[in-house]
């Protein structure tokens, strides 16, 4: 299979993984069991797919990604406030590459009694997509220092709809599904990271953790 078809297949599988999760939640499946199934499928992709973020050496030694324990308190139903200034940001990815995105909304919720807010972005590239990066107080000791993503719809990761709610003005943010960008694993990848406005002073102890040093190699 060509590299391009491999990449298509990988993104297809990622989208299917999120779709299966969403379908399970919408029919009332146990959220923790659904998350465990999701993590198992993701581990299989990382371990065996040729488009895994891991390089060949990492895949040979891979024993699974590290996660915080499942935390139901870090699932939030939020309303997207779209009455925001559509600010265009240019995000530096490395010395040669930048990416443009536009603020399209804000969400507000409370973590351990502290009100917080995050911006949602529209990626200004072909076809576009919604993007939610976040850096919290677990970085860099417990989670990747550059922060994590909650969703990046261009790549197939997605947010959860709220059962019984039509439309997309109200969604569920489940931080148990927060995941590391590909650049957390090795230096083959460049990734847009969380802007200053999405850097939280509170810890979000859910989702993917900082990976073992042995997992992060230089390609």
């Amino acid at each position: 299979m060509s590299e391009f078809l491999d990449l298509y297949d990988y993104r297809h599988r990622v989208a299917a993984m999120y779709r299966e999760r969403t379908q399970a939640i919408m029919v009332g499946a146990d959220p923790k069991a659904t998350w465990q199934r999701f993590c198992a499928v993701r581990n299989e992709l990382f371990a065996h797919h040729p488009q895994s973020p891991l390089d060949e050496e990492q895949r040979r030694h891979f024993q699974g990604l590290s996660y915080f324990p499942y935390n139901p308190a870090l699932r939030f139903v939020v309303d997207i406030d779209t009455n925001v200034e559509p600010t265009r940001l240019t995000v530096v990815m490395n010395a040669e590459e930048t990416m443009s995105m536009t603020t399209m909304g804000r969400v507000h919720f409370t973590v351990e009694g502290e009100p917080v807010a995050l911006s949602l972005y529209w990626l200004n590239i072909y076809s576009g997509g919604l993007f939610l990066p976040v850096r919290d107080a677990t970085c860099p000791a417990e989670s990747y220092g550059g922060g994590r993503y909650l969703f990046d719809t261009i790549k197939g990761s997605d947010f959860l709809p709220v059962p019984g709610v039509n439309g997309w003005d109200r969604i569920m943010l489940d931080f148990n599904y927060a995941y590391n960008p590909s650049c957390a694993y090795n230096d083959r990848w460049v990734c847009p990271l969380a802007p200053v406005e999405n850097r939280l002073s509170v810890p979000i102890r859910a989702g993917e953790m900082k990976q073992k040093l042995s997992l992060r190699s230089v390609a």
Side-chain angles (χ1 to χ4, degrees):
M1 188 181 293
S2 78
E3 182 178 347
F4 296 109
L5 291 178
D6 279 342
L7 180 57
Y8 171 79
D9 182 72
Y10 185 81
R11 291 188 179 176
H12 180 77
R13 290 172 185 266
V14 169
M17 182 174 68
Y18 279 87
R19 188 165 55 248
E20 179 183 334
R21 173 207 66 172
T22 297
Q23 290 170 346
I25 294 299
M26 294 298 282
V27 299
D30 177 69
K32 183 176 181 179
T34 300
W35 172 77
Q36 290 171 330
R37 163 67 178 164
F38 178 94
C39 293
V41 173
R42 189 162 180 256
N43 276 337
E44 283 294 307
L45 276 178
F46 269 63
H48 302 298
H49 201 282
Q51 285 291 327
S52 166
L54 307 182
D55 60 34
E56 290 184 13
E57 179 68 17
Q58 290 173 311
R59 293 203 298 272
R60 278 196 289 272
H61 301 284
F62 181 65
Q63 296 182 344
L65 298 169
S66 300
Y67 291 89
F68 289 99
Y70 180 80
N71 188 345
L74 291 173
R75 304 171 76 227
F76 304 95
V77 174
V78 297
D79 293 316
I80 301 176
D81 177 12
T82 56
N83 187 26
V84 298
E85 183 69 26
T87 305
R88 188 182 182 96
L89 304 176
T90 298
V91 180
V92 175
M93 299 174 69
N94 60 21
E96 300 175 350
E97 297 180 69
T98 61
M99 189 186 71
S100 171
M101 59 189 188
T102 300
T103 307
M104 55 74 56
R106 293 276 284 173
V107 293
H108 301 264
F109 52 99
T110 301
V111 178
E112 296 182 354
E114 183 170 338
V116 297
L118 292 171
S119 289
L120 279 63
Y121 304 97
W122 184 261
L123 297 177
N124 299 318
I125 58 178
Y126 178 73
S127 79
L130 292 171
F131 181 46
L132 179 49
V134 58
R135 190 182 192 277
D136 65 276
T138 66
C139 307
E142 298 173 90
S143 64
Y144 176 57
R148 296 176 287 173
Y149 298 168
L150 203 53
F151 52 82
D152 180 0
T153 62
I154 287 178
K155 301 291 183 65
S157 62
D158 213 343
F159 49 84
L160 280 161
V162 179
V165 174
N166 294 320
W168 300 108
D169 292 336
R170 174 170 291 183
I171 62 173
M172 181 182 294
L173 300 182
D174 188 340
F175 284 90
N176 293 287
Y177 293 94
Y179 65 96
N180 291 339
S182 297
C183 52
Y185 307 111
N186 60 61
D187 295 334
R188 291 186 301 156
W189 310 101
V190 292
C191 308
L193 303 178
V196 172
E197 62 191 7
N198 274 20
R199 298 177 186 178
L200 305 181
S201 61
V202 297
I204 304 288
R205 290 190 173 91
E208 190 176 352
M209 299 181 71
K210 184 177 182 178
Q211 300 304 318
K212 302 179 181 67
L213 288 176
S214 60
L215 181 58
R216 194 185 192 286
S217 69
V218 176

